[in-house]
Structure formats: structure tokens, C-alpha cells
Amino acid sequence: LSYTRPSISSPSSVFGTSSAALSSSSSSSMSTTSNSAKPTNAWYQNFLLLPNDTEPTVHNRAYAVPHVLDAAGPIPGSVFGPSSAALSSSSSTSTTSNSAKPTNAWYQNFLLLPDDTEPTVHNRAYAVPHVLDAAGPIPGVRVHPPRVIGEKKVVRVDFVERHGLTLGASAEAAKAKPSGGGGAPLPPLSKRYEVADGRHLTPLGITLKWTDDLMMKGNNGDDESPTSSSGGIAGADSSSVSSFFEMTSPVVRGMPYATVRYRFRPRRGRRNAAHDYNNDNAGDDDDDGDANGDDSPLLLLLPAVVSEIALRSPPLIDGHVELECSSSANDPRHETTAAAGATVSDDVRLTFDQSDFTWLVFFSRPARVTCSENRDGSGEPAFVLRVVDVVVERTKDAPSAYEEEEEDDDDEEEFTVGEEEGDVGGAWGGMEDRGRGRRVGGGGSEEARRLTVRIALSSNCTSGRNPTYCSGGDGGVGNDDDDGSEYESLLRAHSDVYPGPETSVGYDFFTPGTTKEEDGEAKVNEEDDDEGGAPPPGAARVKFDWDARSMSLEDGGSEIEEEEEVEDGGNHLLMFALPHHMDAFADSPSYGGVPDSDSNGDSPPSYAVIPADDDDDDNDHGAPRHFCHFCQPTLTGPACPFFGSTWSYVEPLPTLRFTASRPPVPEMIPTLIDALAKDIDYDIPAHYRRGAGDTYFSGKLLARLGRVLMIGEELRGLRRWWWEEEEEEDDGGGDGGEIGEHSAARDGAESPFLRRERSAAGRHRPDEDENADFPSLPLEYDLSSATSPPSDVDALANLVPSSRAAAADSSDLPPSSSFVSALERLRSGVEVWLDGSAETPFVYDAAWGGLVSCGCLFEGDTGKCRDNVNKDGQMHCPAFDDPGLNFGNGHYNDHHFHYGYHVLAAAVVARFDPEWGRRNFENVLLLVRDIATPFESTGGEGSGGGGGDHSFPPFRHKDFYAGHSWASGIDPSPPYLNGRNQESSSEAIAAYEAVGLYGDAMVRAFTASSVDDDNDGDASLIARAAHVRDAGRLLAATELRSSDRYWHVRLQGEEEDAGGDDDAGTKNGESPSSLLPVPVPPASLYPEEYDERVIGVMWNTMAQFQTWFGNDPFLAYGIQLLPLTAISEERDDLKWTKSMYPAFASSCEESAVCTEQGWSILQLAVLATVGRRSDASERALSVPPESFESAGGNGHSLTNLLWYIATRPNVDDPLPLNAERVGFGHAPGADAETDGVVPGSAKNAEEEAKAPIDEGGDNNDGDENGGVNVDVDDGDCPPCLEEICRGGSDGLGHCPVKVAPYVCTEGPSRGGCSGAPWTVSVEGDEGGPCRGCCKLGPECGDGR
């Protein structure tokens, strides 16, 4: 697994050191470039068109045939510091305390800054509620207050770039230029940044760092990169004062303020001989105090706040003093001396004209500030506020200018977690209390000053003149009260405490209703099940530690005790929470009676509302009156302010199993067994058996066979159970005790599972193949499924015997030999990807830290990968060259989607073959570690055994703040402006389900080994496997919560429970009386203009109703519904599926592609979910076999589809459908009277015949053979040529002749089939789906 990603250099000139000529040393008279002439029209010309001092992009490429090559590969750049091979490894609690780096983080665009280039607007992050970048007019962070724009199929975050406010560093000459000018202009500062430290890349934040060396690179007389330890290099000791100026900014999720910490020595400038600002060059007359005769000028770097638009009114200092600004650098008021300007004790208020924004600027200590304005449009910043000096002496209790306005906070309750230090594990540190004060010297000017400056938007509608934010008062910040004073007061009250650079996420697992002493790691004892081990925990306690720090304690002039805590009261850390956080907060304290406590639930929840005003009689939701005033719109709904240095909430963990919560209904078992008889013989394609090809579809096909095996074993178990019960009854037994146990479970007994173990005698049905040795697995059903009403328990108790009897009565269950053969095919299919023998091998990428597929240039005629060995005999991985190959796996796209399927298949093998599982544990863990490496353990209780994995970043795809994952990785260059994205929320859920199932399988495997061999040595392996299981469950639980909230759309006016549980009062707008009031976000989170029921692709700053592979609505719905596994029942809320089904069915009805590509399989699954099981099962038998081999259906099988339909819970009020239409996409040969969708979504035959046909659609009302019975003009679609008719020409002849004979032969819909002639668009019409077509005749097929 060893592989080194090739480095990419950036020469000063693409032609070498002499940019005037190519090399002239060639002795060959045949050289094209043996002189100064250069190619101008060459096929590789794009390589030559690389400007000096810029990085290559995807435009600098050439088509060498057969490959396209460029030099823009994504390797980590110097943004990670001087050593791009690794971040600082000094921290034992960092997410990146090793060489592995984030590849799918919400702030990934900040990391994708090529070497020696300046940051652009592409290098940004949506921290919520603001967007931040480092591309402002000065080095530093620029804050953009966004607005949320809703359109029919898109929701996006937008802002005006010039309206942002930048907090950073400004360059000033030591003294002003003489009146009249003549001096050289100030040199531009580089805005490049570095990641401050390895500890400062966490799931919640990233800390950026600027130093004098970095900002003045290229302006100090040389072009060398900063390598001196005196340059404030990333990872340097923070107590060092060797650099005269440096600043760091923690960019953290949910922060209302932007924060920059400065460390500098006032009046200490840096000489730059390349610039003579005073234009004197005559002795030491620049009055800098130096005696060395050096007359080069001094350049000062000063803390600054800069705007690109002009102020409306003068800056207001401490609420009452107006600051007079200079108009130019030659203005006498433009001074940078310590005596210039005015002293600010608390804050400066800035109001801008063009944006109508008002900002507050806060300081950790009194500072002298000056300001300048530029209104001549010369390109200089329109407004600059500079800090020219800081006041050293300030006592901690210095009065505030707003003291009289602030309320007394003495009685305010402290809302922090009630745990001891290190109580919450989850590894990866950050669990100890933060916010320590730092000892700061109070000495003279030679010592380094420390200053922290924060900026916050207090209003985006100050005067009501900005229609973008003020329209209807919707989405305004701080403008719901009369003058914005309430929100400003809130910001002032909480301005001192900021989120630090070492934020962290932790978790521990527990069983609700138990003490921590009763919980614990999985272990083996007499009471444990011989196979299952200790029962898994029922919940996880998730904790966000914001690393809260007080800027006044850290930077204050008086001596502060080093271990002094951050003060509480009015200065609690203020952060914004998203809708799913508020859902979790509201639910957590009532879950098991243990909000955040070891035992009795006495400690308060670790959050608080702002402000705590419980006396509002008009409060409809139990939330404080002012919450709606202070919440701000975000892409995914309102974000509301909470305070507390830590947040914690309880996340119930799903019970993962291969079976559904109930057995298949008895009436479908014979049909299910018939399908199983065919699917059990499914053979994985030969090239995938050799490990040749992509990792996505290969994984889907492996998982497909694994699902078939598990369904078959469930049916074998039902039949085996029946015969065992019959024999037990003959012996005077019976199953009354079983049913009695189930009744007890309904009444509150601990065990909610109906579990049937293999009998000791291993009895089999008499006609079963006794010569084959195939293991039998326990049979488990859940009697207390969260998705089933209580009445379902009785129904389930009655269903089980009936299903068992149906299985026993069936005589066609495949023999055990078929199962043995299928397991062997699956075992070898999984192994080839793990043992290094695959033709498309996995390699370890040491540059970023991950397991990636080398890639396969698949040759269809040979069924093999093109040779991956280059002419030097070295392995060449095409996946690194082509970011589109294998869906971008080599660039860290979609790893959880791909590897989840492989891990699921491995889990199936390990369940049937525990010895194989134990033998291949570490190999499978490579896949698991790549997508689900846990946080590093600090050794504290509850850490779950997470170990410091130095090879992979923790939980690569998961954004714990957003709750869901990001699929896209480190491409392209420049990065997408909208940041990371994820398309299939359902495949992310399934990936984490697979991780949990694999961990569970390995707990069983290691437990059985320990018991059988009396071996205590497997205890550590059991603990590791248990952590894999529970980490998978936690990842799945958080993905379920956020997917249902943000991908499953409820429209305006549908103020129903977002989770679909009518009994969940906290989600129906009413908080339980036992809780603190928590705002309940509406079910509808998106603007009313967006009227679709699902999100197809979620980006950091945009949500779209489309997919990467097409815009048809059924694609957007379908990609959020696959695969069909047991966890899908928790994924797909009944109310949402009822609301989305009509649109899904209508879209599928209108396109033959829906069935041909397998997407109608998912429509049938939803049809069963909404209560139409019999309709769905009938139509499932009409799905063409080819649908299960297509892109949308090849991970499914008829067996799995029928199983899913047969195991759906009963629905009391099924979705009403037209009596003659059951909602199904095109099924060739189907009875036309049963085709259709819900009422109102399809025309009857007479109306359809008269109606125009949509482009790309087809008329689905046909004759008894499913053919089109409407006379249509063939239009521009002539008969197809023989080449197409016979199936050649890239398979264009695959269309079903009787149903959809019209083939698109050119254009975006090439290969598409239609029941009506395509509307052929004219050349150049980008909106048209088809630019050429033909019609297949009867001679072209055999009734297809």
C-alpha cells in the first residue's frame, strides 16, 4: 500500500531560468527549439501558456493520446507550513496530530491554496451564519453577512463581496511621505496564510495564521520562502517574540463574531530597501532612531479593520465619541504615532452607507485608534481603522463605558456541562475545561503586545434602506427591535469570550437509565451471550467543546493568575445553533432521564437560551420571546444564539441489523422464495472478481449478493424455527413462553427483541441438503421499533408465527449448497480488493493520508485495465491524473459511498464465517479507518477505545456541526466556489450502517473465539470492534437526523413534525415543561420559492434539485433512497414519503429511462412505505431484469426489492391512489390499466392523445402489449440504420421497440428512449435535450 504522490514544482518561468529562450544547448540540428523561437501553435501550447509566478490549473494541459495530462494535481501546499508532508505532531489531542490531513472538511477551500498564490474568493468557508474568506484588501479574514435566496429548484447563500468587512493587518510607513509625494507607494502585502498548528484543525474550526515574513514575502528584497524560525513559522512556540508581528484567527462554526489575535511590538518596523517611501536615500534622516546609518524606510504592520465601501457616519467610540478620520495619507490627521487618534476602551460602532450594515469592533484592552477614508475611487480601501498602540495598564475590573446600560448578571445561571474534567471521551482531547487566562507581561515597549480584536454585525438593516435585507423585515439582523439596541447589547455582553483554536468534538456511549458504572466496554463474562457479547449501548452523549477563552484575561495588562477561569455570567460564549441542534437539545434531557449526568440527571443541560425571558404569555412554542428576533437565516434554516462554553446532547443510537424490525408478510414469502432461487446464483462480473474496475459499482454488486445471502438466511431461519417449534411442541413445549416474553417487552421489560437462536441440535427441515455445511444465524426482530406504533407490537406477535408457517410450507427454498456457493463467491469477491491482488489496487496516499484506488483505464473489449506500469517500471495510478476517474476516488470524492458497500459485504462474510472475519480484521479496517477513524483517545473513561490513528484523518467525511457528511474531496483547482457537497444522503447513512454492522459482526466473532478458546486475549479486539460498531451507529444516527431535516423537504404551510412522530412534543412546537425553553424551528426550513420535496445536491452554500448525472426529478428523489436496507425504515419518514411520492411517481411515469435505469425500483419501495404493499409487490414482478443491471438498479435485486416491500409496516391511512393507477414507472409489457400515478398527476387516455408530448417524455397509454396506441408523426426521427437496429453503435439500439422506439442519437440525451418522437433542437441550442433521433422498427427487436 505504499505510494508517493508526485510533487509538482512551480518554476519561475515555464521556460526555465531564462524566460527569453528555450534551452540552446541541444546539439541536434533537428531541434524545434534550438534557438530563441518558441512554439506558438503546438498541441501542448497550453503547457507553455503558464504566466510567471502562478500555479498551473486544469487549463494548462495537453491531450497526449490516449490520456489528457495536466500539472494541477492536488498535493498539499505550503498552507500547511514549511513542511507540506506533515502538520505539527506536537499535540496528542489534535485531529491532525499526524501526517493525515482533512480532505472533505467544511473549511477545505481554505486548505486548497496553491503554493505562491494569493487567496481568492474561492478560498472561503461558510462558518454559519457568515461566510469568511482571506481575499479582502488586506491580509486577514473578511466577513460576509449573507442572504438566503430561494428559487424554484435552488436555494443559495449570496452576498455582495464589497460589503464584507476585513479584520487583519495594514501596512504603514514609519512617517508620512512629504507633501507632494514623490516617494514610492507602499508595497502590497501578501495575503497568504498558513494553518497555525496541527492542533488547530478540528471538526469545528480551523485557525489561520499570518506572520510578517509571510505577508512581506517578495517585498523584502528576495524571493525566498520564509524558512527562518524567527519568521513566526507554523508550529513555533507561541511564547516566542522573535517575530515583530503575527496574527491568528480561529474560524469556527456558529460564531457571531470574527476574531483575530495579534502579537506585535509597537513601533518596531521592518526595513525594506526595495522601497524608498521618503525618497531621500541620503543618510539616516528618516527619524527612526537607528544609529547604524541605514536609511531604508521602516514599514509598520498595524492591526486594522478595512472596508471597501464608505462610512455613512463617523466611527462612534464607546457609544459617545465620534472619531475624526483623515482623508488621505498626506492628511495631517493620518498619523501612526502612539499619540494619534483616540483611545477606545470597549468598542467602535461602524455604519456603512451602501450596505446599510452596522458593525461593532471590540478590543481586549484599551487601544489608540486612527482612521482614514478614501472617497476618490482610487482603488484604495474606502475606510481603514488602525490600532496604533495599546494601553498596557488596565485592571481586570476597569469600568465599561456601557456599565449603566448593562443589566445585573449576578443572578444569571451558569449553563455549562456538569461533568468532571475528562469525563466525556471520544478521544481526541478537548475534553478538559478551556478558557484559562494567560500570564501577560505588562512591561514597556520592547515587549510583545497582545491584542485581540473582534468584529460582529449588529444590523444589516440599519436605516431600512437596503431592500435586500429589509424587505418585510424578513432575514434582518438586529432590526426587529426599534433601533437594534437589544441585539447590540447582547453582542456587547458576550464579546469578551471567544471560541479558541482548540475546539473539539467528543462523545461517549451509555445506556439510558443506567449509571456510568453500569456501562462500559464490551467484555466477556458468564452472563454475556456466547455470540453477541455485552449488549450495545443505547445512546451517545455528544459534546462540543468550544475552547472558550477570555480575551481580556489573556491580553489584560494586569498580571493574571495563569489558571484563572473564564468568568461566567453575562460573558458566556455566544454561538449559533442550527435547527437539528435545537431538535436534539429539546429531546436530550427527556431521553432516559439522563441529560448530562452520571446517574440521576440532576445536572442542567449544557446550553442556555438568549435571553432567559420566560414570562412571555404570548409565547406559542415555549421559547423565549426574543429568540425569533435574534435568529438569523442560513442555508438550512434559522440559526439561533445559545451560550455556554460547551454544548452536549444525547443522540439515541439506532439498532443495526440485517433484518427489518418484522419478518416478511406471509403472503409474499412464496414469491420472495421464488426470486431468491434465482438471485442466490448471482455471479459477480468477471472483471470485478479480478478486482478490475471502479470501487463504486464493484462495491454495490458485492453488497447486492451479501443482501441476498442475508435475506435467504432469514427465510431459512423462519423455516428452521417452525420445525424446531413443532418438535418442541411434540415434547410438550410450545412457543407460548416466547409470546409471553414479547408481551412483557410491550409492558416495559428490558428486552425489546424477539430473538431466536440456533438450537443445540441444529434441526433442519427433512428435505434440506444435509451434506452441505452452511452456518445458521440467530433470528432477531424488534418489537419496539421507533417507527412502529404500539399497536404494531401485537400485530408483530401474530405475524411471526404466520410468516414462519409460510416459510415452512414453501418447498422451493434453495438448498444449503446454493448458499455455500454464494458465500464462497462473495468471500473471494471481497478478498480480492483487500489482499493486494486486485488489478486495480488500493494504494496509501501519504500526501493527504488515505486509502485510494489506483484507478483503472478499463478496456471494454478485453475486460481488463490498461497497464498501470509506466516506462520506468514504476506504478502509475491514473486516478491521480484524472479527477473524474472512478468518481474522483483518487481525489477523495465519495469514499464513504464506495467503501460502505465493500464493508457491508465484508460484514456479511464475517457473520457467516467468523474465522475469516478474524483473519481479515485489519484488512477490512483499512476501509473503515479511511472513512470512520475515531477521534484520538485521551485515555479518559468513555473514550471507546479510540487510539491515535496516525494514518487517516478522523471521520473523514463527517461534519459534526452540520450533522451530515461532505462527499467531495480535494478537487478541482480552484475549488468550487460553493465549497463541499454531498449528493446521496442515503448512501452516507448506509455507509455508516455498514460500519456499525461490521463492528457488530466482529464483536460476535471475537466474543465467540474468546468463549470457545477460553482466551482473554481477545478482550482488546472485542473493545476495538465494539467501538467500530458504536461509532458507526453514532455516525448513522447523526446522518439520519440531519438528512431528514435538510434533504427531506417540508414545504411552507406543512407545519407537521419534522421527524414524523406525532408523540414527539418537542418537535411539534411544544417543549416539555421539564426543559428549558428551546426554540423549535419550523418544519419548513427553505424559502417558499423552493417547491420541491427533496434536495438533490447539498453544498456548503447552495442546495439544488438535481444530481451530478441528470436533472430528471426521479433522479433527485431516487439518489436519496438507495440502497434499500434495514435502516431505510428510520431514514424515510412516513409523512415525508407521502408528500413526495406524487412528484416522484409522476416524474417516473413520464420517462421510460426511470424503469430502464432501475430508478422505478425505488419508487416501488416508497409505494410500499406509504401503505400500498400489494400494489408495489404486483408491480415489482413486472420490473425488467435489465433494470437490476443498470446504473440506478444494479445494487438491487428482485429478492431485495420484494423483501423490502414485504417487511414494510402496516399503515393505518395508506396514500390514496387512483383506483386504476398504482403509480409505477414504465414497465414494458405491463397492463396499461394498472400503469399510472396518483390522481391529478397523469391524463387519461383521451386527454393524453390530445395533449402535446414533453421533450424526452413518452406517451404511456398503450395497447394490451404496452405499445403506443396514439397516432403520432415521426417528425424528425427517421428509421434507424441497421447498425443501430442490431444493437451496435455504442448500444443505441437497446430501446424497447413496443414502448419507446424513438432513440436520441445526438445531444445531451444521446441513448435516451422515448415513446414519442424527440423534439430535435437546432444546432447550438444548449437547452434542447436531443439534436438527432431515429425510430426503431419491428424488425429491430423481438418484442422488447
Side-chain angles (χ1 to χ4, degrees):
L1 297 178
S2 177
Y3 189 89
T4 301
R5 187 182 288 264
S7 296
I8 300 172
S9 62
S10 178
S12 60
S13 169
V14 71
F15 293 108
T17 56
S18 173
S19 61
L22 297 178
S23 171
S24 59
S25 61
S26 173
S27 60
S28 171
S29 61
M30 300 299 293
S31 171
T32 61
T33 56
S34 61
N35 47 54
S36 61
K38 306 170 185 64
T40 57
N41 302 77
W43 60 273
Y44 50 76
Q45 195 70 36
N46 279 23
F47 274 132
L48 304 184
L49 301 179
L50 176 65
N52 288 345
D53 301 320
T54 62
E55 287 293 291
T57 71
V58 291
H59 295 277
N60 304 110
R61 68 183 188 184
Y63 185 26
V65 181
H67 307 312
V68 175
L69 295 91
D70 64 34
I75 62 171
S78 62
V79 68
F80 292 103
S83 173
S84 62
L87 298 177
S88 170
S89 59
S90 61
S91 170
S92 62
T93 61
S94 168
T95 62
T96 53
S97 62
N98 46 57
S99 60
K101 303 167 183 65
T103 57
N104 305 75
W106 60 271
Y107 50 73
Q108 196 69 38
N109 280 24
F110 273 133
L111 302 182
L112 300 179
L113 177 64
D115 288 351
D116 301 319
T117 61
E118 293 291 293
T120 70
V121 291
H122 292 268
N123 305 112
R124 70 184 194 184
Y126 187 26
V128 177
H130 304 311
V131 176
L132 292 90
D133 65 30
I138 61 173
V141 289
R142 181 170 56 173
V143 184
H144 301 281
R147 57 176 178 159
V148 179
I149 299 176
E151 301 169 7
K152 182 175 176 59
K153 296 183 183 298
V154 177
V155 180
R156 57 190 173 91
V157 167
D158 192 24
F159 54 84
V160 178
E161 185 178 335
R162 296 180 66 250
H163 292 178
L165 191 67
T166 302
L167 175 59
S170 173
E172 300 291 333
K175 71 176 184 179
K177 293 181 292 184
S179 179
L186 293 178
L189 295 177
S190 171
K191 292 175 280 190
R192 281 191 61 83
Y193 51 80
E194 293 177 348
V195 176
D197 190 291
R199 295 170 298 171
H200 303 160
L201 280 174
T202 80
L204 298 176
I206 177 176
T207 299
L208 307 180
K209 181 177 182 177
W210 297 259
T211 65
D212 54 343
D213 281 327
L214 198 59
M215 289 185 283
M216 298 180 67
K217 182 180 178 182
N219 294 322
N220 56 5
D222 60 64
D223 295 323
E224 295 182 2
S225 300
T227 56
S228 168
S229 61
S230 65
I233 297 302
D237 183 357
S238 61
S239 64
S240 168
V241 293
S242 57
S243 176
F244 84 94
F245 190 97
E246 70 176 29
M247 59 183 182
T248 58
S249 179
V251 179
V252 180
R253 286 289 224 176
M255 60 183 195
Y257 316 76
T259 305
V260 172
R261 296 199 65 209
Y262 300 90
R263 187 167 63 89
F264 63 105
R265 282 174 284 167
R267 314 306 306 149
R268 292 297 172 186
R270 165 169 276 187
R271 294 191 180 279
N272 190 329
H275 297 271
D276 182 8
Y277 307 108
N278 303 313
N279 199 27
D280 49 31
N281 285 324
D284 186 21
D285 60 355
D286 57 0
D287 198 26
D288 62 4
D290 289 347
N292 56 12
D294 186 358
D295 63 354
S296 59
L298 278 174
L299 183 66
L300 297 179
L301 294 176
L302 301 174
V305 176
V306 172
S307 173
E308 296 160 76
I309 57 176
L311 289 172
R312 174 178 299 162
S313 56
L316 192 63
I317 295 179
D318 294 339
H320 60 275
V321 177
E322 289 188 353
L323 178 64
E324 188 176 2
C325 297
S326 65
S327 59
S328 71
N330 295 324
D331 191 310
R333 293 167 296 183
H334 187 88
E335 291 288 341
T336 60
T337 64
T343 300
V344 54
S345 295
D346 290 292
D347 62 64
V348 178
R349 191 175 192 265
L350 305 174
T351 300
F352 295 93
D353 188 46
Q354 188 175 349
S355 65
D356 205 26
F357 291 172
T358 293
W359 299 80
L360 297 178
V361 185
F362 302 99
F363 300 85
S364 60
R365 59 201 301 181
R368 296 289 296 181
V369 297
T370 65
C371 62
S372 62
E373 292 185 278
N374 173 38
R375 297 179 179 271
D376 60 7
S378 62
E380 295 294 321
F383 169 77
V384 180
L385 179 74
R386 302 172 192 82
V387 177
V388 295
D389 203 357
V390 294
V391 179
V392 175
E393 298 299 331
R394 176 183 180 178
T395 62
K396 190 174 102 175
D397 299 324
S400 165
Y402 301 94
E403 188 171 60
E404 294 180 359
E405 300 177 21
E406 295 178 344
E407 297 181 4
D408 185 4
D409 290 321
D410 289 343
D411 296 330
E412 198 161 315
E413 188 175 359
E414 176 182 350
F415 293 98
T416 55
V417 68
E419 298 164 344
E420 296 298 326
E421 181 175 329
D423 191 38
V424 173
W428 180 28
M431 294 301 99
E432 65 274 10
D433 291 336
R434 301 293 187 186
R436 313 293 188 185
R438 306 295 171 88
R439 186 180 300 276
V440 181
S445 61
E446 292 301 320
E447 296 191 19
R449 300 284 200 272
R450 288 185 177 180
L451 177 70
T452 301
V453 182
R454 309 188 77 193
I455 60 174
L457 179 76
S458 64
S459 177
N460 58 12
C461 182
T462 305
S463 66
R465 297 190 299 183
N466 187 340
T468 299
Y469 296 95
C470 302
S471 178
D474 195 19
V477 175
N479 60 305
D480 285 323
D481 46 31
D482 293 338
D483 57 1
S485 60
E486 283 189 87
Y487 189 60
E488 285 196 3
S489 297
L490 178 70
L491 291 173
R492 289 188 173 106
H494 295 266
S495 63
D496 183 60
V497 183
Y498 69 94
E502 297 180 40
T503 57
S504 63
V505 176
Y507 58 85
D508 68 345
F509 302 112
F510 71 102
T511 299
T514 67
T515 65
K516 283 201 169 184
E517 288 72 18
E518 292 171 336
D519 293 329
E521 298 178 351
K523 52 187 176 294
V524 180
N525 58 47
E526 312 78 61
E527 300 177 359
D528 288 339
D529 187 280
D530 283 352
E531 183 179 323
R541 186 180 291 105
V542 181
K543 180 177 178 179
F544 292 177
D545 188 327
W546 298 109
D547 186 24
R549 303 186 179 199
S550 166
M551 64 177 185
S552 62
L553 292 181
E554 289 185 321
D555 300 335
S558 61
E559 189 171 286
I560 305 297
E561 290 297 328
E562 188 169 0
E563 295 299 314
E564 185 166 358
E565 298 283 349
V566 170
E567 289 187 341
D568 294 309
N571 284 333
H572 277 303
L573 177 67
L574 183 68
M575 303 294 284
F576 277 89
L578 290 173
H580 76 282
H581 297 139
M582 291 178 266
D583 293 340
F585 292 160
D587 291 346
S588 292
S590 61
Y591 189 84
V594 188
D596 205 6
S597 169
D598 287 351
S599 56
N600 300 321
D602 295 336
S603 60
S606 58
Y607 56 84
V609 293
I610 305 294
D613 181 0
D614 299 327
D615 299 326
D616 184 10
D617 295 334
D618 296 328
N619 180 2
D620 294 331
H621 302 297
R625 175 175 60 88
H626 297 298
F627 250 110
C628 60
H629 291 196
F630 297 154
C631 295
Q632 297 187 21
T634 72
L635 179 69
T636 53
C640 300
F642 283 66
F643 68 73
S645 60
T646 61
W647 293 357
S648 73
Y649 65 91
V650 172
E651 189 70 76
L653 301 180
T655 299
L656 302 181
R657 62 172 66 83
F658 289 101
T659 62
S661 297
R662 63 200 64 79
V665 292
E667 62 268 22
M668 287 190 63
I669 286 181
T671 304
L672 182 55
I673 290 178
D674 289 342
L676 176 67
K678 298 179 180 179
D679 287 334
I680 195 69
D681 294 326
Y682 173 73
D683 200 4
I684 300 167
H687 61 284
Y688 284 143
R689 294 200 304 270
R690 302 193 315 272
D694 69 279
T695 52
Y696 177 66
F697 287 114
S698 63
K700 290 180 73 174
L701 298 185
L702 289 170
R704 167 181 173 169
L705 181 56
R707 290 288 308 141
V708 169
L709 268 168
M710 295 306 300
I711 294 168
E713 173 55 22
E714 181 180 0
L715 294 173
R716 291 176 76 242
L718 286 169
R719 186 173 69 167
R720 184 171 57 248
W721 191 356
W722 170 264
W723 284 98
E724 290 170 356
E725 293 295 339
E726 288 294 300
E727 295 184 16
E728 289 174 9
E729 289 178 6
D730 291 342
D731 295 333
D735 59 1
E738 291 274 354
I739 298 300
E741 179 184 342
H742 310 331
S743 299
R746 294 197 307 272
D747 295 334
E750 290 186 5
S751 174
F753 300 109
L754 183 152
R755 178 184 178 98
R756 181 67 183 182
E757 299 290 350
R758 174 180 50 167
S759 67
R763 303 183 182 92
H764 300 284
R765 184 182 170 95
D767 61 352
E768 193 168 4
D769 182 0
E770 298 290 351
N771 295 322
D773 181 17
F774 191 76
S776 300
L777 303 181
L779 195 60
E780 301 174 343
Y781 296 113
D782 189 352
L783 293 182
S784 60
S785 170
T787 57
S788 300
S791 59
D792 246 18
V793 178
D794 291 315
L796 179 57
N798 296 324
L799 172 63
V800 173
S802 300
S803 298
R804 286 159 38 197
D809 289 340
S810 177
S811 59
D812 296 326
L813 193 66
S816 290
S817 57
S818 295
F819 287 85
V820 170
S821 176
L823 179 60
E824 177 54 36
R825 295 195 303 277
L826 181 63
R827 184 190 292 114
S828 61
V830 172
E831 279 183 354
V832 71
W833 297 94
L834 302 175
D835 62 10
S837 63
E839 293 181 20
T840 308
F842 281 117
V843 297
Y844 180 76
D845 171 28
W848 289 94
L851 190 71
V852 298
S853 170
C854 188
C856 172
L857 299 176
F858 191 75
E859 297 178 330
D861 54 344
T862 65
K864 296 181 179 181
C865 297
R866 198 171 301 157
D867 193 1
N868 284 348
V869 178
N870 63 22
K871 62 181 180 181
D872 297 325
Q874 302 296 317
M875 177 182 290
H876 169 71
C877 286
F880 290 114
D881 299 333
D882 184 354
L885 187 64
N886 192 12
F887 302 94
N889 179 281
H891 296 245
Y892 295 95
N893 288 352
D894 302 349
H895 276 205
H896 55 332
F897 298 162
H898 295 209
Y899 300 167
Y901 287 114
H902 285 263
V903 172
L904 180 70
V908 172
V909 178
R911 285 290 278 123
F912 286 113
D913 188 351
E915 175 56 34
W916 179 92
R918 293 188 288 269
R919 190 171 61 251
N920 286 274
F921 183 51
E922 295 297 338
N923 286 347
V924 178
L925 273 189
L926 283 174
L927 298 173
V928 174
R929 289 164 62 195
D930 186 83
I931 63 174
T933 282
F935 301 135
E936 292 186 19
S937 174
T938 56
E941 181 183 356
S943 65
D949 194 333
H950 289 232
S951 301
F952 301 92
F955 299 125
R956 182 183 302 279
H957 296 275
K958 176 65 76 170
D959 182 341
F960 272 89
Y961 179 84
H964 59 77
S965 298
W966 299 112
S968 57
I970 58 176
D971 248 7
S973 179
Y976 292 118
L977 193 62
N978 286 301
R980 304 305 91 201
N981 70 78
Q982 177 164 274
E983 185 177 54
S984 180
S985 61
S986 56
E987 285 186 293
I989 293 168
Y992 301 136
E993 175 194 30
V995 170
L997 288 171
Y998 177 72
D1000 179 70
M1002 294 312 301
V1003 168
R1004 296 170 187 262
F1006 289 127
T1007 301
S1009 174
S1010 296
V1011 173
D1012 293 343
D1013 302 335
D1014 193 22
N1015 178 13
D1016 293 335
D1018 282 345
S1020 63
L1021 293 173
I1022 295 173
R1024 290 179 66 196
H1027 192 64
V1028 170
R1029 174 197 65 197
D1030 295 332
R1033 296 168 68 207
L1034 174 59
L1035 294 170
T1038 53
E1039 204 80 21
L1040 282 165
R1041 183 186 290 275
S1042 289
S1043 296
D1044 185 59
R1045 245 336 194 160
Y1046 305 133
W1047 269 262
H1048 300 174
V1049 180
R1050 282 83 178 174
L1051 300 186
Q1052 296 283 353
E1054 297 176 349
E1055 299 302 322
E1056 297 283 351
D1057 161 30
D1061 184 355
D1062 289 329
D1063 296 326
T1066 59
K1067 292 183 180 179
N1068 281 322
E1070 185 175 332
S1071 295
S1073 59
S1074 62
L1075 304 182
L1076 287 173
V1078 174
V1080 180
S1084 175
L1085 299 177
Y1086 297 106
E1088 60 183 6
E1089 291 83 359
Y1090 187 85
D1091 60 1
E1092 303 296 345
R1093 303 282 183 160
V1094 75
I1095 298 296
V1097 182
M1098 181 75 73
W1099 297 75
N1100 282 117
T1101 56
M1102 181 171 65
Q1104 299 172 293
F1105 182 69
Q1106 67 176 63
T1107 69
W1108 281 98
F1109 49 92
N1111 296 333
D1112 289 304
F1114 63 79
L1115 298 175
Y1117 285 106
I1119 200 63
Q1120 307 305 334
L1121 296 168
L1122 59 81
L1124 299 174
T1125 63
I1127 205 170
S1128 302
E1129 186 170 330
E1130 296 192 47
R1131 182 192 70 201
D1132 301 334
D1133 166 58
L1134 178 60
K1135 291 180 180 178
W1136 175 70
T1137 52
K1138 282 185 174 182
S1139 71
M1140 59 79 102
Y1141 180 78
F1144 186 12
S1146 178
S1147 172
C1148 206
E1149 170 88 356
E1150 294 169 358
S1151 174
V1153 176
C1154 184
T1155 293
E1156 292 167 4
Q1157 291 188 358
W1159 298 103
S1160 61
I1161 295 170
L1162 300 160
Q1163 183 199 338
L1164 293 180
V1166 178
L1167 186 61
T1169 300
V1170 299
R1172 314 294 297 197
R1173 184 192 299 125
S1174 61
D1175 294 329
S1177 62
E1178 179 183 352
R1179 300 307 306 161
L1181 299 178
S1182 300
V1183 176
E1186 295 80 10
S1187 296
F1188 295 102
E1189 309 302 327
S1190 61
N1194 63 3
H1196 306 287
S1197 64
L1198 181 59
T1199 297
N1200 194 68
L1201 174 59
L1202 291 172
W1203 168 86
Y1204 192 81
I1205 294 171
T1207 55
R1208 294 310 86 204
N1210 294 325
V1211 177
D1212 293 335
D1213 54 340
L1215 183 68
L1217 301 179
N1218 186 302
E1220 295 183 354
R1221 293 179 176 268
V1222 298
F1224 181 59
H1226 287 276
D1231 186 350
E1233 291 187 356
T1234 61
D1235 286 346
V1237 294
V1238 295
S1241 62
K1243 309 176 184 70
N1244 61 34
E1246 181 178 355
E1247 293 172 324
E1248 184 107 32
K1250 298 177 182 178
I1253 305 295
D1254 288 340
E1255 295 180 5
D1258 66 343
N1259 189 316
N1260 198 46
D1261 285 302
D1263 58 23
E1264 59 184 4
N1265 293 319
V1268 178
N1269 63 6
V1270 180
D1271 292 332
V1272 294
D1273 183 2
D1274 288 345
D1276 296 324
C1277 298
C1280 293
L1281 299 176
E1282 183 177 358
E1283 176 186 4
I1284 295 178
C1285 181
R1286 293 185 176 180
S1289 187
D1290 297 330
L1292 290 178
H1294 72 282
C1295 293
V1297 175
K1298 292 186 177 182
V1299 177
Y1302 296 94
V1303 185
C1304 179
T1305 58
E1306 185 179 358
S1309 295
R1310 185 176 186 274
C1313 309
S1314 175
W1318 289 88
T1319 300
V1320 178
S1321 60
V1322 298
E1323 185 175 358
D1325 181 7
E1326 296 181 356
C1330 185
R1331 295 194 291 271
C1333 63
C1334 66
K1335 181 181 180 182
L1336 296 171
E1339 71 280 2
C1340 291
D1342 51 0
R1344 290 191 306 256

